Amino acid sequence: MSYAEAKQAISLGALDDIFSDPENAERRYPIPILQCLQIKPLAGQQGGAGQQQQPERYRIVLSDINNYVQCMLATQANHVIHDKTLVRGALVRIKSYQANMVKGKNILIILDLEVAAEFGAHDRIGEPQAFEPKAPAPNATVGGSNFYGAKAESPAPVKAEPMSSRMGGGTSNASHPNGNIVIYPIEALSPYAHKWTIKARVTQKSDIRTWHKASGEGKLFSVNLLDESGEIKATGFNEQCDQYYDMLQEGQVYYISNPCRVSLAKKQFTNLPNDYELTFERDTAIEKAEDQTSVPQVRFSFVNIQELQSVEKDATVDVVGVLKEVGEVSQITAKSTGKPYDKRELTLVDDSQFSVRLTIWGKLATSFSVQPESIVAFKGVKVSDFGGRSLSLLSSGTMSIDPDIEEAHRLKGWYDSQGRGDNFATHNMSMGSATGRSDQMMVISQVKDENLGMEDTAYFALKATIVYIKQENFAYPACSSDQCNKKVIDQGDGSWRCEKCDIVHARPQWRYIMSVNVNDHTGQLWLSCFDDVGRIIMGMSADELMEIKENDEDRFPAIFDAANCTKLNFRCRAKMDMYGENQRVRYQVMSASQIDFRSEALKLSDMIKQFGISS
């Protein structure tokens, strides 16, 4: 449509009513139409090593011709960004929103919207001015800066759901006009939020701890609370310790309503990725939810065991692995207090072909009865550089045995099919200096000159360029049953049979089993690659590539040509294998990744400094 039609469609003056006269806004503009002037992703969403992945957030600026205001898209509205329907200059219908004021700035939280594509996209319509705050209505916090002159921090949507009578110290005043309760996501809580109720699962509950000081004595306990949006720590002191400790049970879901103090988190006492924490008060309202299934059980952000090398000392991470060894209980005495502590050391392995030592403490150490080869997930373990890299379960951390999660099922399948007989590298300090081989960065000439794999299985890292990929037998037909991957046999009638599962499939799942030749400046090497690495090299699944081979013979070789001359980081295993009656070393790629040029530049810079070369 034309510029004039688009201008006519915009809800002129709607923002003024939304913030200054909400009741009139609902009557006059049931679904306001505004123009999008700017779209910007929030900075700092990617968590570094040892940090939790943050939710994806976008900020936009919307105009009603008279005024513009900065807005935050709730995560459920991100689809308009992902499918590229929301573009600068487009008109949008705001179907659900929440108006807030934070530090004197008006913020509009967009819970649901629809792009009015029929009006097209136009340059800015009119000369809108920044909307000036009229009255305080604190509710949420939004972040970021240099975005139409405002500073804010990401909030999250609220929702309403029915709730029965309250229990605890007081009653909630967070009722929705229709009698429901306004449920706030945990990530929206801040010192500026009022009249809120969260629905959260207790994922960890501490023992009651006491303290004795010259100024007095007291006791406290804490819980970690989880919902779909995030996690937060809550603490009860003294009277609230007596009031709520027995009520809050680990694994159960509760409604929790203010009064409940929200303050900056003391990071030395929590491993949760939240800038705030809660403190229970006398009148905090807590009620066990009837619906215990709508809140996640636990949220992990796993780091594989190999990646621990790049995680900073004292960082807090989550790990999952196969329990390889269980040590005996031992005892140490703290130098500062003289108090004895029970400990037990566990050894975990995963499909990165690394193992790590993890220490558990106290009652958990003495009562630990998990059988070796179980899958164990740990949330909240501290990374130490003692002896290379080791882990310690924090008092606020948790342990889950054979959890029903994708990562655990994948590890179980890997271990049962091949991992049980594998050798594993460690993070010990000795691995680089004593053997010079375990996952040490090498060039091809070193691998050959040092005869890696001739006597014992050895691991090394290699930075090399792919120069040739064998196109014959690049994949095999595999069973599509979960965790099987065994080769299936063509029955001749279009069906495929797996002898292990005794199942006939209509079609196989093709999996890569590739031979690639790689070069660096010192020589060449043949590497064997399996499915995960093949996907990285080819940029598609083996199923997709097999379909191209069958239907587009001209395109098929071109895909292999495009994969050539790709430089990657390879982590390899050198192991002596039998080929017929002959023995020779087989070099298998355990994992592959793209070159991190920033990291490589830093390594070169450090190398130059070591040689004392100045520019």
Side-chain angles (χ1 to χ4, degrees), residues 4 26 50 69 83 113 145 159 197 208 228 281 294 379 396 450 454 458 463 469 526 530:
E26 289 185 10
V69 68
D83 59 24
L113 81 166
S145 61
K159 60 182 179 180
T197 296
I208 294 177
E228 295 167 342
E281 298 183 352
S294 62
K379 181 174 180 62
S396 59
E450 297 185 22
M454 291 291 287
K463 189 160 59 219
I469 305 171
W526 281 99
F530 291 115

Side-chain angles (χ1 to χ4, degrees), residues 436-444 447 452 458-462 525 527 570-574 586-588 590:
R437 294 179 178 177
S438 294
D439 209 38
Q440 180 182 354
M441 181 62 72
M442 290 186 165
V443 294
I444 290 173
V447 175
L452 292 192
Y459 296 86
F460 61 95
L462 188 68
L525 201 65
L527 303 177
F570 298 97
R571 183 173 175 274
C572 306
R573 179 178 70 186
R586 181 189 185 196
Y587 302 104
Q588 180 182 332
M590 310 308 298

Side-chain angles (χ1 to χ4, degrees), residues 40 46 50 57 125 154 162 224 259 262 322-323 343 360 412 414 501 523 591 601:
K40 190 174 183 180
Q46 297 296 325
R57 288 294 185 194
I125 298 176
S154 72
N224 290 348
V262 184
V322 181
L323 183 61
K343 58 175 283 192
I360 55 177
K412 180 67 173 174
W414 159 79
C501 301
S591 63

Side-chain angles (χ1 to χ4, degrees), residues 238-309:
N238 299 323
E239 291 180 3
Q240 283 65 59
C241 188
D242 297 331
Q243 189 174 2
Y244 299 120
Y245 185 80
D246 291 333
M247 180 187 299
L248 293 169
Q249 296 298 316
E250 202 165 286
Q252 300 299 305
V253 178
Y254 299 87
Y255 295 102
I256 301 174
S257 304
N258 65 331
C260 185
R261 189 166 75 249
V262 184
S263 56
L264 286 173
K266 299 177 180 66
K267 290 296 186 179
Q268 67 270 36
F269 300 124
T270 180
N271 62 303
L272 300 182
N274 198 319
D275 291 333
Y276 300 108
E277 62 186 17
L278 302 177
T279 303
F280 296 132
E281 298 183 352
R282 183 182 62 184
D283 294 325
T284 299
I286 300 177
E287 179 187 356
K288 186 175 180 179
E290 293 182 8
D291 175 16
Q292 293 281 314
T293 61
S294 62
V295 178
Q297 293 288 336
V298 67
R299 172 175 296 195
F300 292 105
S301 182
F302 290 122
V303 173
N304 76 40
I305 295 176
Q306 180 193 2
E307 291 171 346
L308 292 172
Q309 293 182 9

Side-chain angles (χ1 to χ4, degrees), residues 204-257:
Q204 191 270 342
K205 175 182 170 183
S206 74
D207 294 329
I208 294 177
R209 298 190 290 273
T210 59
W211 75 85
H212 304 274
K213 298 181 180 178
S215 57
E217 58 184 33
K219 56 185 175 181
L220 64 88
F221 83 103
S222 63
V223 291
N224 290 348
L225 302 172
L226 167 75
D227 71 6
E228 295 167 342
S229 71
E231 298 173 89
I232 195 168
K233 178 183 176 182
T235 304
F237 292 91
N238 299 323
E239 291 180 3
Q240 283 65 59
C241 188
D242 297 331
Q243 189 174 2
Y244 299 120
Y245 185 80
D246 291 333
M247 180 187 299
L248 293 169
Q249 296 298 316
E250 202 165 286
Q252 300 299 305
V253 178
Y254 299 87
Y255 295 102
I256 301 174
S257 304

Side-chain angles (χ1 to χ4, degrees), residues 120-167:
H122 303 274
D123 291 337
R124 184 179 60 192
I125 298 176
E127 295 293 334
Q129 302 299 310
F131 185 74
E132 295 298 329
K134 300 294 176 63
N139 251 342
T141 305
V142 187
S145 61
N146 193 27
F147 189 67
Y148 269 69
K151 294 184 178 180
E153 207 175 286
S154 72
V158 298
K159 60 182 179 180
E161 60 178 75
M163 182 171 139
S164 58
S165 60
R166 315 292 295 174
M167 60 186 289

